[in-house]
Amino acid sequence: MGYRTLGRTGLKVSEIGFGGYPVDDPDIVRYALDRGINYIDTSHCYRGGRSETTIGEALRGLRDRVVLTTKWCPHHIGRPAKKQVFLDMLDQSLKRLQTDHVDIVLNHEVGKNSDGVGLGRLQNPEMFEAFEAARQTGKARFLGASGHDPDLMGVMHHAVDSGRFDVLLCRYSFLDYPEQNRLIDKAHAKGVGFIAMKTLAGAKGADLDRFRDRHATFKQAALKWVLSNAKVSNLVISISSARQVDEYVPASGQPLRQADADILKEYEEAFSTQVCRYSGACLPECPENVRIADILRFSMYYHEYKQENRALESYARLVASERAAHCVNCSGFCEQACDYDLPIRTLLIRAHEKLAPGAGCPAPGVSGPPDPGRES
Ligand code: SF4
């Protein structure tokens, strides 16, 4: 396992980080630690707290071996977001994690669509006061931001420019180039750690096995591509099995070979018109203000990650006017604006059929059985 410095935090983090969303077995966390992973990412909102609880159980007696990150989620903070709610949420996370501190707390899902206010959550004085109180009491050491929204690049540039955030967690894959590289360059120049997620570019799981050669799987090639950027601090990928640990760890410390690039090229040619890049170019064209990019992300959770409950809960949080029911009777204005020729209308109708209330969708905030979880 290779290790890198996480920006100005000075923390030494494993190139492959443990994405804790799906994990249910403490032994898998400990197995990953034994293979050299020392960075663990979870969130207050992951699977109703079961991710944090599992990780807390796994880290009993091992807390000092890892860099531990959790998140403040907008769905649980409430509005207006008050200092005490942030602190209460962090205390609950610490209790589940069986520790007195996390190394990093991320202000999660920042962006206009997730919280309705865009930059507002990164400017909220109550959040900064809460972090400062947590820092002074030793409950959190560093502050960061993470998100998925189409306006993410603008939000993240603001986070870097503000000088108040030590770490970013952003999507970054071989299909996202080059927009993210400008953000990564700036973050690196200012000492802000950059952690990559969504590294598998849609993770079209059903067909992944054919994208491999004798030396690498598609996933290893995709992870190597991310790590080939020396300005990336590390990456997180969802892990729920020892097999995944064994597949992902060898991607660390290996150069990106031509054969790896060929695998990624083949994937791109096959799936380019099925993977949303979250540019947001389509959004102004929709007369109904459908949450296009977010719904495509939820659909990815459902179909590719096999994290059905995560997808259903996320879709259930949308109000009816934001859902894709409109698309059935639309001629697809959004598709004209897509630079990647995605059949957006068809993809959204398929998503709505799976994710709409009445198709087995739990109420917001209600967690079903664990998702098996595969990729991040
Ligand atoms: S198909 Fe029509 S309603 Fe649906 S997202 Fe596209 S423009 Fe909006």
Side-chain angles (χ1 to χ4, degrees):
M1 175 63 70
Y3 298 84
R4 299 185 186 185
T5 303
L6 185 60
R8 62 183 174 233
T9 72
L11 297 167
K12 298 291 183 194
V13 292
S14 53
E15 290 184 337
I16 308 295
F18 192 105
Y21 177 86
V23 71
D24 247 344
D25 182 352
D27 285 342
I28 301 303
V29 181
R30 290 188 280 260
Y31 182 76
L33 266 54
D34 288 342
R35 295 297 311 276
I37 289 177
N38 82 338
Y39 183 83
I40 297 181
D41 173 281
T42 183
S43 175
H44 184 277
C45 58
Y46 284 173
R47 295 174 39 250
R50 286 201 296 276
S51 167
E52 288 182 328
T53 301
T54 302
I55 291 166
E57 193 175 327
L59 293 183
R60 253 188 254 152
L62 302 171
R63 173 66 185 89
D64 293 344
R65 281 177 54 180
V66 303
V67 175
L68 184 57
T69 292
T70 194
K71 308 187 185 83
W72 279 323
C73 303
H75 320 301
H76 297 176
I77 288 286
R79 293 182 200 166
K82 292 296 186 187
K83 171 183 173 183
Q84 194 55 48
V85 180
F86 286 104
L87 291 173
D88 291 346
M89 187 180 290
L90 180 59
D91 281 341
Q92 193 176 12
S93 290
L94 295 178
K95 190 173 178 188
R96 292 171 182 159
L97 290 164
Q98 302 188 39
T99 183
D100 61 357
H101 76 284
V102 290
D103 297 285
I104 301 162
V105 60
L106 297 174
N107 208 16
H108 188 40
E109 296 200 7
V110 293
K112 188 165 181 289
N113 282 345
S114 291
D115 57 27
V117 290
L119 283 180
R121 278 186 52 239
L122 291 189
Q123 298 167 330
N124 181 1
E126 302 267 346
M127 184 268 295
F128 288 117
E129 287 173 23
F131 172 71
E132 189 54 28
R135 194 183 65 77
Q136 287 183 3
T137 54
K139 293 180 179 178
R141 300 175 64 193
F142 300 103
L143 179 66
S146 65
H148 306 280
D149 282 11
D151 65 341
L152 186 66
M153 287 300 110
V155 173
M156 288 299 175
H157 275 283
H158 170 85
V160 175
D161 292 337
S162 74
R164 306 188 75 169
F165 296 87
D166 306 300
V167 176
L168 306 181
L169 172 63
C170 290
R171 72 177 187 272
Y172 184 56
S173 79
F174 63 97
L175 286 188
D176 287 329
Y177 178 88
E179 184 187 14
Q180 284 80 351
N181 277 354
R182 288 193 289 277
L183 176 65
I184 293 169
D185 288 347
K186 181 194 277 188
H188 184 261
K190 294 190 175 239
V192 176
F194 186 96
I195 303 170
M197 64 173 172
K198 303 290 183 286
T199 53
L200 300 183
K204 309 304 282 185
D207 294 314
L208 285 176
D209 278 350
R210 69 188 173 94
F211 294 98
R212 59 182 301 157
D213 66 4
R214 282 190 304 122
H215 305 291
T217 66
F218 162 75
K219 294 176 198 171
Q220 289 170 339
L223 301 187
K224 282 201 267 183
W225 185 93
V226 170
L227 294 173
S228 69
N229 185 339
K231 294 176 183 174
V232 169
S233 306
N234 69 346
L235 62 86
V236 292
I237 184 162
S238 290
I239 293 175
S240 58
S241 71
R243 181 193 62 76
Q244 290 171 321
V245 175
D246 290 340
E247 179 176 5
Y248 303 155
V249 167
S252 170
Q254 298 293 324
L256 185 74
R257 306 161 305 139
Q258 185 57 49
D260 300 318
D262 291 344
I263 293 171
L264 301 181
K265 185 73 181 163
E266 190 179 350
Y267 178 95
E268 180 176 357
E269 287 171 355
F271 296 120
S272 181
T273 59
Q274 295 181 45
V275 177
C276 178
R277 274 70 160 191
Y278 306 106
S279 72
C282 56
L283 298 177
E285 305 306 318
C286 176
E288 306 290 349
N289 294 318
V290 172
R291 292 263 296 267
I292 301 170
D294 294 309
I295 295 171
L296 293 178
R297 175 164 56 87
F298 304 155
S299 183
M300 179 180 70
Y301 292 152
Y302 190 96
H303 292 285
E304 271 70 56
Y305 291 17
K306 307 303 179 191
Q307 295 173 351
E308 286 89 352
N309 284 310
R310 184 183 199 179
L312 292 167
E313 288 183 24
S314 298
Y315 199 69
R317 287 195 195 99
L318 303 184
V319 297
S321 61
E322 298 171 329
R323 293 183 184 145
H326 303 284
C327 305
V328 175
N329 297 312
C330 178
S331 55
F333 306 103
C334 51
E335 295 180 359
Q336 307 303 317
C338 179
D339 292 331
Y340 306 98
D341 297 326
L342 265 66
I344 299 174
R345 179 173 173 271
T346 302
L347 295 174
L348 289 178
I349 290 172
R350 180 181 79 142
H352 184 72
E353 287 172 354
K354 289 292 183 190
L355 305 179
C361 182
V366 176
S367 295
D371 290 316
R374 301 199 306 187
E375 331 298 352
S376 183

